[in-house]
mmCIF file of all heavy atoms in Angstrom:
data_model
loop_
_atom_site.group_PDB
_atom_site.id
_atom_site.type_symbol
_atom_site.label_atom_id
_atom_site.label_comp_id
_atom_site.label_asym_id
_atom_site.label_seq_id
_atom_site.Cartn_x
_atom_site.Cartn_y
_atom_site.Cartn_z
ATOM 1 N N GLU A 11 5.988 -7.722 -6.505
ATOM 2 C CA GLU A 11 6.373 -8.958 -5.820
ATOM 3 C C GLU A 11 5.389 -9.282 -4.689
ATOM 4 O O GLU A 11 5.026 -10.437 -4.474
ATOM 5 C CB GLU A 11 7.801 -8.850 -5.266
ATOM 6 C CG GLU A 11 8.868 -8.800 -6.349
ATOM 7 C CD GLU A 11 8.850 -10.027 -7.248
ATOM 8 O OE1 GLU A 11 8.839 -11.146 -6.716
ATOM 9 O OE2 GLU A 11 8.811 -9.868 -8.483
ATOM 10 N N ALA A 12 4.974 -8.250 -3.953
ATOM 11 C CA ALA A 12 4.030 -8.473 -2.843
ATOM 12 C C ALA A 12 2.684 -8.948 -3.388
ATOM 13 O O ALA A 12 2.041 -9.829 -2.811
ATOM 14 C CB ALA A 12 3.863 -7.186 -2.036
ATOM 15 N N ARG A 13 2.275 -8.372 -4.488
ATOM 16 C CA ARG A 13 0.987 -8.794 -5.074
ATOM 17 C C ARG A 13 1.041 -10.228 -5.576
ATOM 18 O O ARG A 13 0.070 -10.980 -5.477
ATOM 19 C CB ARG A 13 0.594 -7.853 -6.210
ATOM 20 C CG ARG A 13 -0.102 -6.600 -5.693
ATOM 21 C CD ARG A 13 -0.547 -5.730 -6.835
ATOM 22 N NE ARG A 13 -1.582 -4.797 -6.416
ATOM 23 C CZ ARG A 13 -1.760 -3.604 -6.948
ATOM 24 N NH1 ARG A 13 -0.963 -3.189 -7.926
ATOM 25 N NH2 ARG A 13 -2.725 -2.829 -6.525
ATOM 26 N N LYS A 14 2.193 -10.611 -6.132
ATOM 27 C CA LYS A 14 2.360 -12.003 -6.592
ATOM 28 C C LYS A 14 2.235 -12.949 -5.407
ATOM 29 O O LYS A 14 1.554 -13.963 -5.465
ATOM 30 C CB LYS A 14 3.756 -12.180 -7.230
ATOM 31 C CG LYS A 14 3.764 -12.126 -8.741
ATOM 32 C CD LYS A 14 5.065 -12.695 -9.267
ATOM 33 C CE LYS A 14 6.019 -11.583 -9.678
ATOM 34 N NZ LYS A 14 7.384 -12.038 -9.942
ATOM 35 N N ALA A 15 2.931 -12.606 -4.309
ATOM 36 C CA ALA A 15 2.893 -13.455 -3.108
ATOM 37 C C ALA A 15 1.482 -13.485 -2.521
ATOM 38 O O ALA A 15 0.998 -14.540 -2.083
ATOM 39 C CB ALA A 15 3.894 -12.948 -2.079
ATOM 40 N N GLN A 16 0.826 -12.334 -2.531
ATOM 41 C CA GLN A 16 -0.533 -12.232 -1.961
ATOM 42 C C GLN A 16 -1.469 -13.238 -2.629
ATOM 43 O O GLN A 16 -2.354 -13.808 -1.988
ATOM 44 C CB GLN A 16 -1.054 -10.803 -2.149
ATOM 45 C CG GLN A 16 -2.381 -10.533 -1.478
ATOM 46 C CD GLN A 16 -2.931 -9.149 -1.828
ATOM 47 O OE1 GLN A 16 -2.413 -8.469 -2.723
ATOM 48 N NE2 GLN A 16 -3.965 -8.733 -1.136
ATOM 49 N N LYS A 17 -1.256 -13.463 -3.914
ATOM 50 C CA LYS A 17 -2.103 -14.419 -4.649
ATOM 51 C C LYS A 17 -1.946 -15.832 -4.093
ATOM 52 O O LYS A 17 -2.820 -16.673 -4.251
ATOM 53 C CB LYS A 17 -1.739 -14.419 -6.130
ATOM 54 C CG LYS A 17 -2.137 -13.159 -6.858
ATOM 55 C CD LYS A 17 -2.251 -13.402 -8.373
ATOM 56 C CE LYS A 17 -2.714 -12.156 -9.086
ATOM 57 N NZ LYS A 17 -1.614 -11.243 -9.412
ATOM 58 N N ASN A 18 -0.789 -16.103 -3.459
ATOM 59 C CA ASN A 18 -0.540 -17.449 -2.909
ATOM 60 C C ASN A 18 -0.937 -17.576 -1.451
ATOM 61 O O ASN A 18 -0.720 -18.634 -0.846
ATOM 62 C CB ASN A 18 0.943 -17.807 -3.043
ATOM 63 C CG ASN A 18 1.342 -17.970 -4.492
ATOM 64 O OD1 ASN A 18 0.534 -18.384 -5.308
ATOM 65 N ND2 ASN A 18 2.583 -17.631 -4.804
ATOM 66 N N ALA A 19 -1.479 -16.513 -0.874
ATOM 67 C CA ALA A 19 -1.827 -16.559 0.553
ATOM 68 C C ALA A 19 -2.730 -17.763 0.828
ATOM 69 O O ALA A 19 -3.625 -18.087 0.035
ATOM 70 C CB ALA A 19 -2.529 -15.272 0.968
ATOM 71 N N TYR A 20 -2.451 -18.406 1.965
ATOM 72 C CA TYR A 20 -3.303 -19.508 2.415
ATOM 73 C C TYR A 20 -4.080 -18.968 3.603
ATOM 74 O O TYR A 20 -3.546 -18.877 4.719
ATOM 75 C CB TYR A 20 -2.443 -20.724 2.797
ATOM 76 C CG TYR A 20 -3.259 -21.846 3.375
ATOM 77 C CD1 TYR A 20 -4.075 -22.631 2.555
ATOM 78 C CD2 TYR A 20 -3.228 -22.122 4.737
ATOM 79 C CE1 TYR A 20 -4.842 -23.658 3.090
ATOM 80 C CE2 TYR A 20 -3.990 -23.150 5.283
ATOM 81 C CZ TYR A 20 -4.799 -23.905 4.455
ATOM 82 O OH TYR A 20 -5.563 -24.919 4.980
ATOM 83 N N ALA A 21 -5.297 -18.523 3.363
ATOM 84 C CA ALA A 21 -6.072 -17.835 4.403
ATOM 85 C C ALA A 21 -7.529 -18.277 4.386
ATOM 86 O O ALA A 21 -8.443 -17.455 4.232
ATOM 87 C CB ALA A 21 -5.949 -16.327 4.217
ATOM 88 N N PRO A 22 -7.769 -19.603 4.549
ATOM 89 C CA PRO A 22 -9.152 -20.089 4.475
ATOM 90 C C PRO A 22 -9.992 -19.692 5.695
ATOM 91 O O PRO A 22 -11.209 -19.781 5.651
ATOM 92 C CB PRO A 22 -8.982 -21.614 4.418
ATOM 93 C CG PRO A 22 -7.695 -21.885 5.101
ATOM 94 C CD PRO A 22 -6.822 -20.694 4.804
ATOM 95 N N TYR A 23 -9.350 -19.252 6.785
ATOM 96 C CA TYR A 23 -10.090 -18.934 8.010
ATOM 97 C C TYR A 23 -10.494 -17.474 8.067
ATOM 98 O O TYR A 23 -11.639 -17.151 8.379
ATOM 99 C CB TYR A 23 -9.273 -19.375 9.242
ATOM 100 C CG TYR A 23 -8.907 -20.831 9.118
ATOM 101 C CD1 TYR A 23 -7.609 -21.224 8.797
ATOM 102 C CD2 TYR A 23 -9.887 -21.815 9.228
ATOM 103 C CE1 TYR A 23 -7.290 -22.572 8.610
ATOM 104 C CE2 TYR A 23 -9.583 -23.159 9.033
ATOM 105 C CZ TYR A 23 -8.287 -23.533 8.723
ATOM 106 O OH TYR A 23 -7.983 -24.857 8.517
ATOM 107 N N SER A 24 -9.560 -16.586 7.751
ATOM 108 C CA SER A 24 -9.894 -15.153 7.776
ATOM 109 C C SER A 24 -10.352 -14.677 6.399
ATOM 110 O O SER A 24 -10.998 -13.640 6.274
ATOM 111 C CB SER A 24 -8.675 -14.327 8.195
ATOM 112 O OG SER A 24 -7.705 -14.328 7.158
ATOM 113 N N ASN A 25 -9.935 -15.391 5.378
ATOM 114 C CA ASN A 25 -10.166 -14.953 3.999
ATOM 115 C C ASN A 25 -9.521 -13.587 3.727
ATOM 116 O O ASN A 25 -9.951 -12.869 2.837
ATOM 117 C CB ASN A 25 -11.660 -14.912 3.689
ATOM 118 C CG ASN A 25 -11.916 -15.255 2.247
ATOM 119 O OD1 ASN A 25 -11.095 -15.892 1.593
ATOM 120 N ND2 ASN A 25 -13.044 -14.793 1.718
ATOM 121 N N PHE A 26 -8.503 -13.250 4.491
ATOM 122 C CA PHE A 26 -7.799 -11.975 4.331
ATOM 123 C C PHE A 26 -6.399 -12.279 3.780
ATOM 124 O O PHE A 26 -5.550 -12.837 4.486
ATOM 125 C CB PHE A 26 -7.716 -11.258 5.686
ATOM 126 C CG PHE A 26 -7.170 -9.869 5.600
ATOM 127 C CD1 PHE A 26 -7.842 -8.890 4.886
ATOM 128 C CD2 PHE A 26 -5.986 -9.533 6.250
ATOM 129 C CE1 PHE A 26 -7.333 -7.598 4.809
ATOM 130 C CE2 PHE A 26 -5.478 -8.246 6.179
ATOM 131 C CZ PHE A 26 -6.152 -7.283 5.461
ATOM 132 N N HIS A 27 -6.190 -11.932 2.533
ATOM 133 C CA HIS A 27 -4.960 -12.310 1.843
ATOM 134 C C HIS A 27 -3.968 -11.150 1.888
ATOM 135 O O HIS A 27 -4.286 -10.046 1.441
ATOM 136 C CB HIS A 27 -5.255 -12.693 0.392
ATOM 137 C CG HIS A 27 -6.111 -13.922 0.273
ATOM 138 N ND1 HIS A 27 -6.073 -14.767 -0.800
ATOM 139 C CD2 HIS A 27 -7.030 -14.454 1.124
ATOM 140 C CE1 HIS A 27 -6.918 -15.769 -0.618
ATOM 141 N NE2 HIS A 27 -7.517 -15.590 0.543
ATOM 142 N N VAL A 28 -2.783 -11.436 2.417
ATOM 143 C CA VAL A 28 -1.772 -10.387 2.603
ATOM 144 C C VAL A 28 -0.514 -10.766 1.830
ATOM 145 O O VAL A 28 -0.140 -11.941 1.755
ATOM 146 C CB VAL A 28 -1.424 -10.222 4.108
ATOM 147 C CG1 VAL A 28 -0.449 -9.077 4.317
ATOM 148 C CG2 VAL A 28 -2.692 -10.005 4.935
ATOM 149 N N GLY A 29 0.130 -9.759 1.265
ATOM 150 C CA GLY A 29 1.432 -9.959 0.607
ATOM 151 C C GLY A 29 2.425 -8.956 1.157
ATOM 152 O O GLY A 29 2.056 -7.840 1.549
ATOM 153 N N ALA A 30 3.675 -9.358 1.220
ATOM 154 C CA ALA A 30 4.731 -8.453 1.671
ATOM 155 C C ALA A 30 5.954 -8.680 0.794
ATOM 156 O O ALA A 30 6.156 -9.793 0.277
ATOM 157 C CB ALA A 30 5.079 -8.715 3.133
ATOM 158 N N ALA A 31 6.743 -7.639 0.627
ATOM 159 C CA ALA A 31 8.014 -7.792 -0.098
ATOM 160 C C ALA A 31 9.005 -6.828 0.512
ATOM 161 O O ALA A 31 8.660 -5.700 0.888
ATOM 162 C CB ALA A 31 7.840 -7.531 -1.587
ATOM 163 N N LEU A 32 10.244 -7.292 0.610
ATOM 164 C CA LEU A 32 11.292 -6.458 1.195
ATOM 165 C C LEU A 32 12.515 -6.451 0.287
ATOM 166 O O LEU A 32 12.713 -7.352 -0.523
ATOM 167 C CB LEU A 32 11.667 -6.970 2.596
ATOM 168 C CG LEU A 32 12.294 -8.353 2.721
ATOM 169 C CD1 LEU A 32 13.822 -8.326 2.526
ATOM 170 C CD2 LEU A 32 11.992 -8.939 4.096
ATOM 171 N N VAL A 33 13.312 -5.401 0.454
ATOM 172 C CA VAL A 33 14.603 -5.344 -0.219
ATOM 173 C C VAL A 33 15.669 -5.158 0.856
ATOM 174 O O VAL A 33 15.494 -4.376 1.801
ATOM 175 C CB VAL A 33 14.649 -4.242 -1.313
ATOM 176 C CG1 VAL A 33 14.366 -2.851 -0.749
ATOM 177 C CG2 VAL A 33 16.000 -4.267 -2.042
ATOM 178 N N THR A 34 16.749 -5.926 0.738
ATOM 179 C CA THR A 34 17.816 -5.876 1.740
ATOM 180 C C THR A 34 18.840 -4.796 1.384
ATOM 181 O O THR A 34 18.822 -4.233 0.283
ATOM 182 C CB THR A 34 18.565 -7.220 1.815
ATOM 183 O OG1 THR A 34 19.316 -7.377 0.605
ATOM 184 C CG2 THR A 34 17.608 -8.380 1.981
ATOM 185 N N ASP A 35 19.757 -4.595 2.325
ATOM 186 C CA ASP A 35 20.870 -3.662 2.099
ATOM 187 C C ASP A 35 21.707 -4.070 0.896
ATOM 188 O O ASP A 35 22.411 -3.253 0.315
ATOM 189 C CB ASP A 35 21.742 -3.561 3.358
ATOM 190 C CG ASP A 35 22.108 -4.934 3.932
ATOM 191 O OD1 ASP A 35 21.714 -5.960 3.355
ATOM 192 O OD2 ASP A 35 22.791 -4.953 4.966
ATOM 193 N N GLU A 36 21.648 -5.347 0.496
ATOM 194 C CA GLU A 36 22.413 -5.808 -0.672
ATOM 195 C C GLU A 36 21.576 -5.793 -1.947
ATOM 196 O O GLU A 36 22.019 -6.248 -2.996
ATOM 197 C CB GLU A 36 22.914 -7.233 -0.435
ATOM 198 C CG GLU A 36 24.045 -7.302 0.568
ATOM 199 C CD GLU A 36 24.675 -8.688 0.641
ATOM 200 O OE1 GLU A 36 23.981 -9.688 0.345
ATOM 201 O OE2 GLU A 36 25.864 -8.746 1.005
ATOM 202 N N GLY A 37 20.330 -5.337 -1.831
ATOM 203 C CA GLY A 37 19.484 -5.221 -3.018
ATOM 204 C C GLY A 37 18.722 -6.484 -3.377
ATOM 205 O O GLY A 37 18.107 -6.566 -4.435
ATOM 206 N N LYS A 38 18.780 -7.485 -2.478
ATOM 207 C CA LYS A 38 18.017 -8.714 -2.753
ATOM 208 C C LYS A 38 16.569 -8.522 -2.322
ATOM 209 O O LYS A 38 16.303 -7.861 -1.310
ATOM 210 C CB LYS A 38 18.610 -9.900 -1.999
ATOM 211 C CG LYS A 38 19.820 -10.500 -2.671
ATOM 212 C CD LYS A 38 20.142 -11.831 -1.992
ATOM 213 C CE LYS A 38 21.050 -12.674 -2.856
ATOM 214 N NZ LYS A 38 21.252 -14.020 -2.292
ATOM 215 N N ILE A 39 15.678 -9.154 -3.063
ATOM 216 C CA ILE A 39 14.244 -9.005 -2.783
ATOM 217 C C ILE A 39 13.656 -10.340 -2.325
ATOM 218 O O ILE A 39 13.944 -11.385 -2.914
ATOM 219 C CB ILE A 39 13.522 -8.476 -4.038
ATOM 220 C CG1 ILE A 39 13.955 -7.025 -4.274
ATOM 221 C CG2 ILE A 39 12.007 -8.576 -3.912
ATOM 222 C CD1 ILE A 39 13.507 -6.409 -5.546
ATOM 223 N N TYR A 40 12.854 -10.274 -1.256
ATOM 224 C CA TYR A 40 12.146 -11.460 -0.749
ATOM 225 C C TYR A 40 10.691 -11.095 -0.535
ATOM 226 O O TYR A 40 10.387 -9.979 -0.098
ATOM 227 C CB TYR A 40 12.755 -11.935 0.575
ATOM 228 C CG TYR A 40 14.177 -12.411 0.414
ATOM 229 C CD1 TYR A 40 15.245 -11.563 0.704
ATOM 230 C CD2 TYR A 40 14.453 -13.682 -0.065
ATOM 231 C CE1 TYR A 40 16.556 -11.979 0.528
ATOM 232 C CE2 TYR A 40 15.768 -14.117 -0.245
ATOM 233 C CZ TYR A 40 16.808 -13.254 0.054
ATOM 234 O OH TYR A 40 18.098 -13.676 -0.130
ATOM 235 N N SER A 41 9.818 -12.055 -0.837
ATOM 236 C CA SER A 41 8.395 -11.790 -0.647
ATOM 237 C C SER A 41 7.787 -12.893 0.204
ATOM 238 O O SER A 41 8.382 -13.960 0.382
ATOM 239 C CB SER A 41 7.688 -11.711 -1.999
ATOM 240 O OG SER A 41 7.803 -12.960 -2.652
ATOM 241 N N GLY A 42 6.607 -12.627 0.726
ATOM 242 C CA GLY A 42 5.911 -13.619 1.534
ATOM 243 C C GLY A 42 4.424 -13.352 1.550
ATOM 244 O O GLY A 42 3.961 -12.259 1.200
ATOM 245 N N CYS A 43 3.670 -14.376 1.949
ATOM 246 C CA CYS A 43 2.217 -14.247 2.120
ATOM 247 C C CYS A 43 1.866 -14.816 3.480
ATOM 248 O O CYS A 43 2.687 -15.486 4.108
ATOM 249 C CB CYS A 43 1.491 -15.019 1.019
ATOM 250 S SG CYS A 43 1.878 -16.777 1.009
ATOM 251 N N ASN A 44 0.674 -14.553 3.950
ATOM 252 C CA ASN A 44 0.247 -15.167 5.202
ATOM 253 C C ASN A 44 -0.125 -16.624 4.969
ATOM 254 O O ASN A 44 -0.639 -16.996 3.899
ATOM 255 C CB ASN A 44 -0.892 -14.376 5.857
ATOM 256 C CG ASN A 44 -2.074 -14.100 4.973
ATOM 257 O OD1 ASN A 44 -1.943 -13.992 3.759
ATOM 258 N ND2 ASN A 44 -3.241 -13.986 5.560
ATOM 259 N N VAL A 45 0.172 -17.441 5.978
ATOM 260 C CA VAL A 45 -0.140 -18.875 5.932
ATOM 261 C C VAL A 45 -0.865 -19.213 7.225
ATOM 262 O O VAL A 45 -0.273 -19.155 8.304
ATOM 263 C CB VAL A 45 1.142 -19.732 5.796
ATOM 264 C CG1 VAL A 45 0.780 -21.217 5.721
ATOM 265 C CG2 VAL A 45 1.963 -19.313 4.574
ATOM 266 N N GLU A 46 -2.151 -19.511 7.100
ATOM 267 C CA GLU A 46 -2.961 -19.771 8.289
ATOM 268 C C GLU A 46 -2.955 -21.257 8.634
ATOM 269 O O GLU A 46 -2.438 -22.090 7.877
ATOM 270 C CB GLU A 46 -4.392 -19.257 8.043
ATOM 271 C CG GLU A 46 -4.389 -17.753 7.833
ATOM 272 C CD GLU A 46 -5.763 -17.129 7.740
ATOM 273 O OE1 GLU A 46 -6.756 -17.861 7.533
ATOM 274 O OE2 GLU A 46 -5.829 -15.892 7.862
ATOM 275 N N ASN A 47 -3.498 -21.544 9.804
ATOM 276 C CA ASN A 47 -3.547 -22.928 10.274
ATOM 277 C C ASN A 47 -4.852 -23.159 11.013
ATOM 278 O O ASN A 47 -5.385 -22.229 11.638
ATOM 279 C CB ASN A 47 -2.351 -23.203 11.193
ATOM 280 C CG ASN A 47 -2.206 -24.676 11.495
ATOM 281 O OD1 ASN A 47 -2.775 -25.192 12.450
ATOM 282 N ND2 ASN A 47 -1.465 -25.378 10.667
ATOM 283 N N THR A 48 -5.305 -24.401 10.968
ATOM 284 C CA THR A 48 -6.538 -24.750 11.667
ATOM 285 C C THR A 48 -6.401 -24.510 13.167
ATOM 286 O O THR A 48 -7.379 -24.216 13.846
ATOM 287 C CB THR A 48 -6.935 -26.212 11.346
ATOM 288 O OG1 THR A 48 -8.222 -26.448 11.869
ATOM 289 C CG2 THR A 48 -5.934 -27.206 11.898
#
Side-chain angles (χ1 to χ4, degrees):
E11 292 301 310
R13 277 183 161 150
K14 261 196 258 168
Q16 186 187 10
K17 290 202 177 85
N18 293 329
Y20 175 74
Y23 306 105
S24 71
N25 213 22
F26 187 63
H27 295 208
V28 184
L32 64 86
V33 59
T34 70
D35 48 1
E36 287 189 333
K38 280 192 163 186
I39 291 172
Y40 295 97
S41 62
C43 60
N44 53 331
V45 181
E46 297 187 344
N47 191 271
T48 189

